[in-house]
Amino acid sequence: MYAKDFFTEVNKHNVSIVIVTLRTNGTTKHGKPFPDAATYLGEFINYGWRIIGVAELVKGVRLTPTPNLARYTPIVIPNVLTQPVIVNAQRLKSS
């Protein structure tokens, strides 16, 4: 889903908090290119969203520092695949 489509979908539901999962690197699906996480975060900021934090669930490639990410210190969870979900959720909640 492109950022503008995501904004439209979120606005339909009149919510004030959104948690979003993004790929570190862009990807292609059905022949359509999708941007990387830093690009999406930049679009969210340009749309007027206030981002309170970034969590990086590390499986391989790390986020590349960009101006869109400069103001955030990501919470890094390196062993996301080997810990129970509740452990990771508690870490995010306490941050």
Side-chain angles (χ1 to χ4, degrees):
M1 180 174 289
Y2 292 104
K4 65 179 179 165
D5 299 325
F6 184 73
F7 300 141
T8 301
E9 188 62 29
V10 169
N11 288 336
K12 287 180 189 176
H13 300 284
N14 194 32
V15 295
S16 59
I17 297 174
V18 178
I19 296 175
V20 181
T21 58
L22 302 168
R23 293 180 181 269
T24 302
N25 294 324
T27 189
T28 302
K29 186 173 181 180
H30 304 294
K32 293 182 180 179
F34 290 88
D36 62 8
T39 301
Y40 273 109
L41 289 171
E43 290 188 41
F44 295 159
I45 291 165
N46 291 337
Y47 189 73
W49 283 17
R50 186 173 64 92
I51 298 172
I52 22 183
V54 174
E56 191 171 356
L57 310 178
V58 180
K59 179 181 164 190
V61 180
R62 298 285 312 272
L63 287 171
T64 302
T66 66
N68 294 333
L69 296 174
R71 66 181 81 170
Y72 308 105
T73 301
I75 301 162
V76 178
I77 302 177
N79 48 357
V80 66
L81 298 178
T82 59
Q83 289 185 334
V85 171
I86 190 71
V87 171
N88 294 322
Q90 288 171 339
R91 182 162 180 203
L92 293 173
K93 187 176 179 182
S94 68
S95 297

